[in-house]
Amino acid sequence: MTATRVLVLNSGSSSVKYQLLDMRKGGRLASGLVERIGERTSRLRHTPLAAGGDTREWTGPIADHGAALKAVAEELARDGLGLDSPELAAIGHRVVHGGKLFTEPTVVDDTVLAEIERLIPVAPLHNPANLTGIRTARALRPDLPQVAVFDTAFHTTMPEAAARYAIDVETADAHRVRRYGFHGTSHAYVSRATAKLLGRTPEEVNVIVLHLGNGASASAVEGGRCVDTSMGLTPLEGLVMGTRSGDVDPAVIFHLARVGGMSIDEIDTLLNKKSGLVGLCGDNDMREIRRRIDEGDVRAKLAFDIYIHRLKKYIGAYYAVLGRVDAVAFTAGVGENAAEVRAAAVAGLETLGLAVDGGLNAVRGDEPRLISPAGARVAVAVVPTDEELEIATQTYALVGRN
Ligand code: ADP
């Protein structure tokens, strides 16, 4: 029997998201989430998609990632999809930081694990959890290929002019300070799906991808290769996000330390967790912000305007970086759902060939679609992202041809 299934694991510090896909049939067999790992009220939600069954939910203590994965394995086994199945070809893991070295999905061995560990100082919030996920899965199925798919990989094609900060080269290199970029799996998937929507190959088109979720990033993709992206050393740089500030003058940090008396950790928390939309108006959900704006809320309106202003600046910047733009693609929670954000982001950019058709923009749906007027010079598109499918595809491409 040929093994055609891939389990995709996205391990966070206190959560594990998973999907089981069949790569031959292209279908999703199961998906789920374990949350609040390590607490007394951990929760598992499992949806047996293939069986067409209802979501099963379970609450109780799940001590660690090992216990979480065992619970997931039990749920899968109940649907006849156990991890001991010979049909399972590999486990694909989302790994946030792959540094400069990992330019491709990689089969995990001890050397790869050690390198991901070495990157912890540049990804202290993410890589430890990703590592735990890999180690746990490996212990459960030591015989199975475990593949690491890196958020940074797609961005490793950025030229040095885009990837380097203009700081002392020796200092930067000694501490591996450079722009790595994140959400790469999504940018790769969406840029390719946009080319397909246009009936062209990825090599033929230049695309600006706007991944607007709770975290948000933009990228400039030239003929299928990333040439610039808005996140940097960490996912803090760039666009205004749900709770992250995005770009600020670095001197804001010195000022808050010297004049504001804040510690480095306090400033870190401020910029990562208490800034962005939440810092500006108290809400990070775009639906709630739109509702407040409709009620005349001035702070919500200002937060929205700052969000849009930054987005527009990046569209302009990446237009200049690319020279010729064939498409602008909106994706992720806000990009796929918030028509007002899409309309506002390109408003006034008609001379760049950018516009949205009000009617098309208002249509909701799960499929990639154009929202620019017929005959527009630049296509504006909504392209739902699918990071799990992309991780599974890359994983299977690496190990599945047996
Ligand atoms: P994450 O970065 O957590 O993966 P998502 O891509 O799921 O985020 O995006 C989550 C965000 O999407 C929410 O915080 C909310 O602002 C936005 N969002 C989700 N649904 C809608 C909607 N129907 N209208 C506007 N915004 C939405």
Side-chain angles (χ1 to χ4, degrees), residues 102 190 276 308 338:
F102 294 115
V190 170
I308 296 296

Side-chain angles (χ1 to χ4, degrees), residues 41 55 87 120 136 142 214 250 265:
T41 57
T55 298
E87 290 188 59
I120 287 177
T136 309
N214 215 350
D265 285 343

Side-chain angles (χ1 to χ4, degrees), residues 135-210:
R135 290 199 170 109
T136 309
R138 225 183 167 201
L140 215 59
R141 279 292 307 266
D143 55 315
L144 206 63
Q146 311 281 333
V147 175
V149 178
F150 300 93
D151 268 21
T152 46
F154 184 61
H155 304 303
T156 53
T157 51
M158 277 197 288
E160 283 295 281
R164 275 206 178 266
Y165 293 109
I167 64 175
D168 173 70
V169 171
E170 279 75 32
T171 307
D173 287 352
H175 300 287
R176 295 200 269 189
V177 173
R178 61 187 278 117
R179 309 191 57 256
Y180 295 99
F182 298 88
H183 291 146
T185 309
S186 177
H187 287 283
Y189 177 85
V190 170
S191 56
R192 273 207 316 276
T194 305
K196 194 169 165 211
L197 179 68
L198 301 182
R200 318 261 292 274
T201 66
E203 292 71 31
E204 289 171 333
V205 295
N206 293 349
V207 187
I208 297 173
V209 178
L210 303 169

Side-chain angles (χ1 to χ4, degrees), residues 17 183 211-215 284-287 332-334 337-338 364:
K17 288 188 205 151
H183 291 146
H211 176 110
L212 311 176
N214 215 350
N284 62 346
D285 192 312
M286 196 50 85
R287 286 163 288 199
V334 175
N337 295 296
R364 303 184 67 84

Side-chain angles (χ1 to χ4, degrees), residues 79-109:
D79 304 322
L81 301 167
L83 295 191
D84 51 358
S85 163
E87 290 188 59
L88 189 61
I91 302 185
H93 298 265
R94 176 187 182 211
V95 179
V96 168
H97 216 309
K100 263 174 87 170
L101 192 67
F102 294 115
T103 59
E104 301 278 344
T106 306
V107 177
V108 172
D109 58 18

